[in-house]
Amino acid sequence: MDVLTHALLGACVAGVAGAAVPAGTGDAAGAAANAAAPRRGIPMRERLALGATAAALADLDFLSFAVDPQRFLADWHQGPTHSLLLAPLWALLVALPYAWWRGQPALRARAWVLCTLAWASHALLDALTAYGTMLLLPWSTARHAFPLLFVIDPLPTALLAAGVLSAWRWRRRRAALLGLVALALWLSWAVTLQRQAQSLARMQHPGPAAANVSVWPQPFSALNWKLVASDANGHWVAHVNLRGHAAWVPAMAGRWHALAAAYHAPQALRWQRREHPAALNAHAWNDARLQAFRRFAVLPAVSSAAGDTARHCRWFSDLRYDLPALPDTFRYGVCRDADGSWAAYRMPYLREEGPQRLR
């Protein structure tokens, strides 16, 4: 998910957890009582800030993209910084500076608990997207994915934002709790939609009966889903709006309107064939320089890009992230350089120009 949604969820979690400083009654006697009360808790607004900071910092692993894009995708992103087992260690990056800033070492334990819960919330939310999160590092490198949410989903973000803003304004735990309850209700609905999409894919896909069916959340609406039926040689892919709603993105938005309009009603699905790399370009797909991308790609498919013919490139993508009416998102491949040697390349996101040579 996007960093803003993670920060809002972390703030809600921290707002619910822990004890707040007693709230004033508004009169002089209440103010005097609060002034005399020991400040053992962390004020609500500081809890919200702590939770938001800890949850957002889990995406520090994005810095590793500059080192090696392939290893970033396969090994580093949603890896060590997203482990539930390592969250208590990462939480110290926020809790210790906070206790030092407050000048109260006794707050370290409370801040550490809040930051641990907020940091863990980031990993759990990412596990609800298509990517796959290494929740149990270093015990296991397995990636866990329960794809219910697209990486950017405005409505869950708005629900959490309402909880955070209410908790900030009234400094009450119940306001933050309402944000979490609203998110839980939203996820319950998403589970229902996921099951509907799975049932539709099983009934309508044109592939063999034994094809492996999977469904993946899509942008613009929780009703938009990608349906995939995979066999040994490739994939059948369709894009559906489960209620058959027309695209609400205006035509002036160009390719984004085309993307929104690519989700069809269940009775009007348009299935497209995407070939598996091993079926068409096995030699290029098995090139040692693409080893990391092969580990990453759950639904590998042959892709294309401008200049393929001139450069003799062989491009591959992962269908989990490809969007209709737009260039494939993650495209990696091998191309022949001017000296006749082959090298690994990647295409920039959602663009058809400027292939980048990988080390």
Side-chain angles (χ1 to χ4, degrees):
M1 297 293 290
D2 61 279
V3 175
L4 174 60
T5 306
H6 282 302
L8 292 171
L9 177 59
C12 279
V13 169
V16 171
V21 173
T25 60
D27 56 16
N34 286 338
R39 297 182 62 85
R40 295 177 180 175
I42 298 175
M44 171 59 77
R45 291 183 177 180
E46 293 181 16
R47 287 157 58 193
L48 295 175
L50 274 174
T53 302
L57 278 179
D59 272 339
L60 279 171
D61 57 9
F62 270 103
L63 298 175
S64 64
F65 179 86
V67 178
D68 188 329
Q70 279 197 85
R71 293 290 305 280
F72 167 81
L73 289 178
D75 304 322
W76 298 333
H77 185 42
Q78 295 189 19
T81 62
H82 287 60
S83 167
L84 295 178
L85 301 182
L86 297 178
L89 295 178
W90 293 112
L92 295 173
L93 295 177
V94 182
L96 294 182
Y98 168 77
W100 173 83
W101 171 73
R102 282 287 302 272
Q104 297 186 46
L107 290 180
R108 283 182 296 195
R110 288 180 180 271
W112 174 74
V113 170
L114 294 181
C115 292
T116 297
L117 294 174
W119 200 291
S121 75
H122 184 122
L124 293 174
L125 187 61
D126 270 345
L128 299 179
T129 67
Y131 199 97
T133 308
M134 297 183 188
L135 295 175
L136 300 179
L137 274 177
W139 182 265
S140 170
T141 59
R143 289 189 177 272
H144 301 271
F146 311 94
L148 294 176
L149 301 173
F150 190 66
V151 291
I152 298 177
D153 198 329
L155 189 50
T157 305
L159 295 174
L160 291 170
V164 172
L165 292 175
S166 298
W168 185 275
R169 172 64 178 83
W170 288 289
R171 311 187 192 193
R172 293 290 188 270
R173 296 174 64 183
R174 69 183 65 178
L177 179 60
L178 285 176
L180 297 182
V181 170
L183 178 63
L185 293 175
W186 173 265
L187 293 177
S188 298
W189 185 48
V191 169
T192 301
L193 296 177
Q194 182 192 57
R195 291 175 178 173
Q196 293 178 14
Q198 290 171 337
S199 177
L200 181 66
R202 293 191 186 99
M203 290 188 299
Q204 293 201 23
H205 78 79
N212 180 41
V213 170
S214 59
V215 299
W216 307 90
Q218 296 288 280
F220 297 128
S221 171
L223 299 171
N224 288 346
W225 290 82
K226 173 185 288 185
L227 315 180
V228 182
S230 305
D231 56 41
N233 296 317
H235 317 274
W236 290 98
V237 182
H239 299 88
V240 66
N241 181 285
L242 294 173
R243 302 294 182 268
H245 294 166
W248 57 268
V249 178
M252 67 180 65
R255 64 178 184 174
W256 302 111
H257 169 78
L259 169 60
Y263 298 93
H264 304 287
Q267 63 273 19
L269 292 183
R270 302 176 185 178
W271 292 90
Q272 296 181 327
R273 182 68 174 174
R274 295 289 300 270
E275 300 299 329
H276 193 286
L280 290 183
N281 297 305
H283 181 72
W285 173 243
N286 291 317
D287 191 290
R289 286 161 289 206
L290 296 180
Q291 181 181 10
F293 184 72
R294 287 197 300 273
R295 292 200 310 274
F296 163 75
V298 173
L299 297 176
V302 174
S303 186
S304 63
D308 282 2
T309 302
R311 295 177 55 82
H312 302 285
C313 293
R314 302 293 183 266
W315 294 107
F316 311 106
S317 69
D318 187 338
L319 291 181
R320 290 179 296 168
Y321 301 99
D322 294 346
L323 299 173
L326 296 178
D328 291 347
T329 304
F330 296 127
R331 282 174 294 176
Y332 285 74
V334 290
C335 298
R336 189 190 299 274
D337 286 338
D339 61 2
S341 62
W342 289 84
Y345 280 80
R346 64 174 293 269
M347 290 293 293
Y349 297 151
L350 304 177
R351 289 164 49 194
E352 289 286 13
E353 71 280 349
Q356 299 173 356
R357 195 176 192 274
L358 302 176
R359 291 189 289 253

